[in-house]
Amino acid sequence: GRRGPGGRGGRLGLAAGEPVHLQPDSVADGLNAPFAGELPLVMIRALVDDVILIADATILGGLRFALERMKQVLEPAGAAALAATLSGRVPIRNGETVAVVLSGGNVDIARLGVLIAAAGPLGLRPARGRALGLARRPIPPRVRPGGRRRSRDGGPVRGSP
């Protein structure tokens, strides 16, 4: 799991063996739960290898990266996993393929400039193998009844029957 400073309730709860209450204050509102409950702690223990804490500036670096390079608007909590991966906080073995879930566009447009200005550097590592490759899949041609593949404008696709 990737968490901003406000998400430390999960890490503290794991260490204590029970929910730990705190006053989170992170730019990533979606990660600002005041504690991780007993059921989430059970699931984290069973399914998560590690909980990684990253600074708000790093999270905002991921948000800025998504906006500048991918043309995607993410909320800070939705950019946390991207920021953790690109900053090298997530260990990636040579040649390993990694998928990062990007989520949420629930960010106040009036605050977006301030958030981007507060973004820290990600210290991007060069991609090794396919580890950090970011790619968009093209929209596949539409399939019409009868099995004939058609392009988005309705014409036949080169090489189709």
Side-chain angles (χ1 to χ4, degrees), residues 13-25:
L14 285 174
E18 63 185 11
V20 173
H21 292 267
L22 50 99
Q23 292 297 320
D25 184 27

Side-chain angles (χ1 to χ4, degrees), residues 64-81:
R64 182 182 63 208
F65 181 91
L67 189 60
E68 288 177 345
R69 305 262 185 101
M70 301 167 59
K71 309 307 182 219
Q72 298 291 312
V73 177
L74 306 176
E75 63 187 69

Side-chain angles (χ1 to χ4, degrees), residues 81-150:
L82 177 65
T85 303
L86 293 177
S87 68
R89 296 295 311 273
V90 177
I92 300 171
R93 291 184 295 272
N94 196 11
E96 187 174 33
T97 300
V98 176
V100 178
V101 176
L102 308 176
S103 65
N106 187 21
V107 62
D108 182 1
I109 288 295
R111 268 185 77 204
L112 196 53
V114 172
L115 295 174
I116 292 170
L122 289 174
L124 295 175
R125 302 177 304 178
R128 299 177 312 211
R130 298 173 291 166
L132 297 179
L134 299 173
R136 282 194 177 173
R137 292 188 131 166
I139 298 173
R142 295 178 189 215
V143 177
R144 295 275 171 113
R148 295 183 56 121
R149 295 176 56 196
R150 299 287 176 171

